[in-house]
Every structure is written in C-alpha cells, then in structure tokens.
C-alpha cells in the first residue's frame, strides 16, 4: 500500500469530537461520566491507528463510524464491570482462599451494614465519655469464648505470628521443631517471618520426629520462646512424633520461657462429629498452659479476615504497645463482623448461623436431597443435548485447613454434546454473576455444599446458558 493511500485511511478515522456528538455515546457519557468515555474513545482511536500501521489492508474496514461505535460500546461495557464481584462457588471447597475464604453470617453482614455508614465506639468508652482502646469492645467476648486472660486483633494470622515474635522475642532465640517450619500459601513461611521479626530461629529435632529432650537441650539463657505451629496444610504419617502441648508448657514454665502456639484455623467447637479430626481447639490449647496463641479469623472460625492473639494479660499488653500495632490493627468493620460471629458461638448457634460451619456439618442425605432436586429442576429447562446426573463425591475444607478431611457429598454432573467441560467452565466463569465449578472425569461438576440455596435459581439459569 502506498503512503498516500495509508494517509487516506488515517484521515477517515473519526475525530474524538465526532464520537462525542453521537447519541449513543452521549448516553454512555450520562451513564459512565465524560472523562471515562473520552479516555476510552482516545484509547480506541490509538489502537485503531496502531492496527493500521501494522496491517493497513486488514484494518481499513474498522475505521467506519458504526464499527468503531460497536467496539467502543463493548469496551465501555467491559470497563464498567467492577473488579471485585460476588461469585457463586460451586466447587464444594468451603474455605476457598482465592474466593475470599469464609462467607459471613447474616448477623455479621447486618453488623457491617449498620457500622459502615455510621460512627461507632471503636476507641471510645461510652460510659466514661472518653478515649478507650480498640480491643475493649470485643475483649469480654474473646475472654469468655477462648478462656484466656486477654486478647487482641490484627489484620490476619500472619501478622499475629509476626507481632508475637517481634514483641516477645526480638533479638533472642525461638525454638521451633523442624517438622513445624511450615509454608502456608506461598508467602507465609515460618523461617522467613521469624527472620523479618528479628527473632532468631533455633531449629530442633528431625523432620518427622522431635522429642521433648530436643527442646530441653536447646534452651539457653538466650532463649525467649518455644513456638509450636500447627501443620495446617499437610499431614505427616508413619514414624512421627512431637511432644504434647502440656509437656512443652511444663518445660517452658520450669525454664522461665514463653510458649506460643500458632494453631492456624481458630477451631472453637468440636468438629470431630463432622469428620474434622486434626484441628487443635483454641480452648484445649489455652487450658494446656500455652502462654499465647494465635489463629485466623476467616478459616474454620468462619468470620472476617483477621488474626486473633489470645493469652496472658502481660503479653497482650506488650503487643498492644508495639508501635507496629498501628500498621496491623483492623478497622471497625472487622471488629463488627468478628463480634457478631463470636456472638453466634456464645449463643450456641454457631453450627446454624455461621455459613462455613453450616456447610461443614450439612449431612450427606440433606445434600443428596438438594442435589436430586436441583438435577430435576435443571433437567426441566436444559437444552436437549445435555445430560444431568447425581453421583457420590467429596467436598474439601480448603484454605490450607484439614488436608486429609474429605466430607462425603453428592455431586451434580453435567455433560453436553454442544459444549466441552472446559468451555462450560469458562462460560460460567465469565458470566454475571461468575460461577466457579470443578471438572472431573471430563464432566462439569457442581457441589451444592458451597452454594447458598438462594443462589440456586441463578445457577440454573447460568448452567442453561453455558451448556447450549
Ligand atoms: C493459615 C495459617 C497462617 C496464615 O494465616 P492468615 O490468616 O492467612 O494470615 C499461619 N499459620 C498457620 C498454622 C495457618 O494455618
């Protein structure tokens, strides 16, 4: 193509003002704001010019006003979809870290909506009419539920471990079993957190076995703490051993050092009847004589993202005084959601009210009934070339908790002559709302355990569209 012809094509590209005068574009300006639309028009025209430079023949048709307006609409539409959205989790993974872990209870949601648009007594003592501490409002609940002297709340459990080490062991030695130098979800590794905190790691024992004597022999005048870590996301089997918490507590007491435990998940009630065997319970740990424990708010506890630190008053007081607390503290929304979640436990209603616990404790026959019911409703509306069946399978806890626990469930399996499972999966993902599913044995799999009943009609619609 000659230069003159190419310049001709460039001249045919509409100007920004011509765009803005079009009725459809004015509509967009009213909906999405002038600056947003103008910037998208400019970007579109830049892209068209680049396209012509790369491929003058191919791009020539794209410069007509109609085609450009269509492209602009698509881009504006896509640009208005919020980055963070609610999704339907049909994977059966209850604490899906990528999907934001624990969904909150109705009362936690209510507390968020009340507190978010109003002022709250976050750091204000209502009875005295003066400044107070952030933790004061939640302290009585935590003390009562956890059986501890004092407690404080930080951004997440990683921050909790860091604050414990930084406050109570900076510049001194912390003894950890080699079997507990764990990595949780990529960026959290006990040795790395330890190094950042300024505490000095003193590894003891072997990967599979650590004895009480290993700890005993490692204690020196430089030892500040023994740290015990729950290996949340893996299990060691076979020739393994580690001392019990009570033995470690006895050793720590006799040598005048602190025993801290990162229990990970924040399991407050006994979940063994539901197949969750290996999770340490907060109260057991506190009663066994651990000086200070920490755990996540959004794992088995079922609350908002938070790290809860509980233990002896003097330790909690020092942690609160650490200047880094300012960087790790949480806002009134987290306190509000956590408070409501803990109230469900106090009233003995955790299994009914907290979604994570409701999902975990849902018996298989209840899920089986929902799955058959769902399959029947789906069959009634699905295109003829799709097949629905119900089969046995497993749900998992996820979120780096209970790797060995599988909860027997009933799955809804879908096959379609028109769409491969990978296509069904990607269509569901890009829908509104996005739906996340699993693919197993070349079938699209729905596990209703992690789907809220009120989402089912929307899910049925989404499946119909995806299976066409
Ligand atoms: C999950 C977990 C963490 C990290 O907790 P976050 O709340 O994700 O920061 C730390 N330690 C253990 C043992 C865990 O299970």
């Amino acid at each position: 193509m000659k230069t003159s012809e190419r310049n001709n094509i460039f001249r045919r590209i509409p100007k920004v003002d011509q765009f803005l005068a079009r009725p459809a574009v004015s509509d967009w300006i009213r909906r999405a704001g002038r600056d947003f639309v103008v910037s998208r028009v400019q970007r579109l025209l830049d892209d068209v010019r680049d396209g012509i430079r790369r491929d003058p023949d191919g791009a020539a048709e794209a410069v007509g006003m109609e085609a450009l307006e269509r492209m602009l609409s698509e881009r504006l539409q896509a640009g208005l979809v919020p980055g963070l959205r609610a999704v339907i989790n049909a994977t059966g993974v209850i604490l899906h870290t990528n999907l934001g872990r624990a969904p909150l209870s109705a009362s936690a949601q209510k507390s968020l909506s009340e507190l978010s648009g109003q002022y709250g007594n976050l750091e204000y003592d209502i009875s005295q009419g003066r400044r107070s501490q952030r933790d004061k409002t939640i302290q009585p609940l935590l003390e009562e539920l956890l059986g501890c002297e004092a407690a404080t709340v930080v951004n997440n459990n990683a921050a909790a471990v860091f604050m414990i080490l930084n406050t109570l062991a900076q510049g001194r030695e912390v003894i950890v079993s080699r079997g507990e130098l764990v990595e949780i979800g990529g960026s959290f590794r006990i040795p790395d957190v330890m190094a950042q905190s300024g505490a000095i790691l003193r590894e003891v024992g072997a990967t599979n076995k650590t004895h009480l004597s290993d700890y005993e022999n490692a204690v020196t005048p430089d030892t500040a703490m023994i740290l015990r870590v729950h290996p949340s996301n893996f299990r060691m089997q076979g020739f393994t051993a580690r001392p019990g918490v009570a033995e470690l507590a006895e050793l720590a007491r006799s040598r005048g050092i602190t025993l801290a435990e990162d229990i990970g998940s924040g399991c407050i009630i006994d979940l063994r009847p539901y197949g969750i065997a290996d999770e340490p319970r907060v109260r057991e740990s506190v009663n066994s004589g651990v000086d200070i424990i920490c755990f996540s708010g959004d794992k088995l506890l079922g609350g908002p993202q938070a790290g809860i630190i509980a233990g002896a008053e003097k330790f909690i007081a020092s942690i609160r005084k650490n200047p880094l607390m300012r960087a790790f503290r949480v806002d009134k929304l987290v306190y509000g959601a956590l408070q409501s979640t803990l109230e469900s436990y106090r009233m003995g209603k955790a299994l009914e009210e907290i979604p994570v616990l409701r999902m975990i404790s849902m018996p298989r026959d209840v899920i089986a009934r929902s799955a058959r019911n769902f399959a029947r409703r789906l069959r009634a509306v699905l295109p003829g070339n799709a097949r629905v069946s119900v089969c046995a399978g497993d749900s998992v806890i996820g979120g780096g908790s209970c790797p060995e626990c599988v909860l027997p469930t009933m799955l809804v399996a879908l096959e379609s002559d028109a769409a491969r499972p990978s296509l069904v999966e990607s269509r569901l993902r890009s829908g509104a709302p996005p739906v996340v599913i699993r693919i197993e044995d070349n079938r699209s799999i729905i596990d209703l355990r992690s789907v809220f009943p009120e989402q089912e009609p929307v899910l049925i619609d989404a499946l119909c569209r995806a299976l066409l």
Side-chain angles (χ1 to χ4, degrees):
M1 188 182 276
K2 286 195 297 246
T3 317
S4 63
E5 276 177 49
R6 219 169 81 169
N7 286 344
N8 224 349
I9 299 178
F10 277 122
R11 267 193 296 276
R12 274 172 37 220
I13 301 175
K15 302 281 168 295
V16 173
D17 287 341
Q18 284 174 278
F19 259 102
L20 301 184
R22 306 276 295 185
V25 180
S26 308
D27 274 354
W28 272 111
I29 291 177
R30 267 192 298 281
R31 274 173 62 194
R34 189 183 169 82
D35 291 351
F36 178 70
V37 175
V38 170
S39 83
R40 297 302 145 125
V41 169
Q42 281 163 342
R43 212 183 288 173
L44 174 69
L45 298 182
D46 286 346
D47 290 349
V48 169
R49 283 188 208 99
D50 284 349
I52 296 171
R53 277 182 213 110
R54 274 198 307 273
D55 177 14
D57 301 311
E61 300 120 48
V63 299
M65 189 50 132
E66 245 91 88
L68 288 174
E69 218 171 54
R70 238 188 342 268
M71 280 158 72
L72 179 68
S73 280
E74 277 167 23
R75 288 182 175 203
L76 288 169
Q77 197 82 51
L80 284 184
V81 175
L84 177 64
R85 284 185 290 164
V87 307
I88 296 182
N89 172 13
T91 62
V93 180
I94 296 170
L95 293 172
H96 201 302
T97 298
N98 298 156
L99 300 183
R101 289 199 186 150
L104 295 176
S105 67
S107 63
Q109 292 172 55
K110 182 156 168 283
S111 135
L112 286 180
S113 81
E114 265 171 29
L115 281 167
S116 60
Q118 301 189 64
Y119 298 102
N121 60 329
L122 178 66
E123 288 182 358
Y124 183 71
D125 184 329
I126 293 178
S127 63
Q128 304 288 322
R130 59 166 183 245
R131 192 176 185 283
S132 167
Q133 264 174 357
R134 260 172 209 241
D135 293 318
K136 279 274 156 65
T137 49
I138 206 157
Q139 179 99 5
L141 252 179
L142 283 170
E143 283 168 22
E144 190 178 329
L145 276 173
L146 311 180
C148 57
E149 250 176 64
T152 186
V153 184
V154 289
N155 183 49
N156 56 16
N157 192 29
V161 175
F162 180 90
M163 285 302 280
I164 290 174
L165 293 170
N166 180 264
T167 312
L168 306 175
Q170 193 176 26
R172 299 183 62 204
E173 287 188 0
V174 176
I175 307 175
V176 188
S177 156
R178 291 201 167 86
E180 298 175 4
L181 293 172
V182 301
E183 171 176 314
I184 313 264
S187 54
F188 180 88
R189 287 175 148 192
I190 291 290
D192 299 344
V193 175
M194 186 87 71
Q196 283 295 325
S197 75
I200 300 155
L201 173 62
R202 181 85 165 76
E203 306 174 27
V204 296
T207 306
N208 56 331
K209 276 202 174 200
T210 303
H211 304 287
L212 188 64
S213 55
D214 295 322
Y215 286 95
E216 269 164 1
N217 296 337
V219 177
T220 71
D222 275 343
T223 307
M225 180 185 288
I226 294 175
L227 174 66
R228 191 174 143 100
V229 184
H230 178 54
S232 295
N233 53 3
F234 70 101
R235 286 290 174 272
M236 285 200 293
Q237 281 175 348
F239 193 58
T240 65
R242 63 173 190 163
V245 190
E247 288 173 274
L248 286 179
E250 179 54 45
L251 170 65
R253 202 166 31 246
S254 69
R255 302 292 182 92
I257 54 182
T258 309
L259 174 62
E261 187 175 23
D262 170 10
I263 63 166
S265 218
C267 184
I268 290 190
I269 55 176
D270 188 1
L271 294 176
R272 280 174 299 192
Y274 313 104
I276 294 172
D278 291 346
E279 283 301 314
R281 256 169 304 145
V282 177
R283 248 179 194 283
E284 273 173 14
S285 196
V286 171
N287 292 345
S288 305
V290 176
D291 297 303
I292 192 156
I293 62 166
C294 62
F295 51 92
S296 291
D298 54 355
K299 291 186 182 171
L300 286 176
L301 186 79
Q305 181 192 302
I308 292 139
I309 309 176
E313 173 72 43
K314 61 173 178 181
F315 296 131
I316 300 295
S318 330
I319 288 173
R320 286 202 190 110
K321 281 201 213 94
N322 187 329
L324 283 170
M325 192 64 184
R326 178 84 192 200
F328 289 144
R329 70 187 191 183
V330 298
D331 75 334
K332 66 173 186 220
L333 298 183
V334 174
Y335 277 107
L338 188 59
Q339 171 176 275
S340 300
T341 307
L342 295 173
E343 273 163 2
S344 292
Y345 282 96
R346 185 171 60 181
M347 293 184 298
K349 292 192 178 157
L351 284 172
E352 298 145 59
E353 294 186 352
I354 296 176
V356 166
L357 298 180
R358 202 166 55 219
M359 289 170 187
I360 289 174
S361 60
M362 199 182 285
R364 187 155 89 158
D365 57 323
V366 171
I367 296 202
R369 211 175 316 130
S370 314
R372 281 195 298 269
N373 199 313
F374 187 85
R376 186 158 25 81
R377 279 149 58 209
L378 200 52
R379 274 189 208 106
V381 290
L382 268 191
N385 55 6
R387 288 172 301 285
V388 186
S389 54
V390 173
C391 59
D394 294 319
S395 315
V396 297
I397 306 289
S401 303
C402 325
E404 301 259 278
C405 310
V406 283
L407 309 172
T409 193
M410 290 302 273
L411 306 166
V412 178
L414 302 155
E415 290 166 279
S416 162
D417 299 328
R420 279 171 293 114
S422 57
L423 180 61
V424 173
E425 187 269 344
S426 77
R427 280 178 177 166
L428 286 168
R429 213 167 0 98
S430 47
V435 176
V436 186
I437 62 160
R438 296 192 251 164
I439 297 176
E440 262 171 33
D441 302 328
N442 211 27
R443 294 180 307 175
S444 309
I445 300 289
I446 307 291
D447 186 346
L448 291 175
R449 194 190 284 273
S450 55
V451 176
F452 293 91
E454 58 273 22
Q455 294 176 323
E456 286 181 14
V458 182
L459 180 55
I460 288 178
D461 283 351
L463 289 168
C464 281
R465 271 177 273 128
L467 286 158
L468 278 178

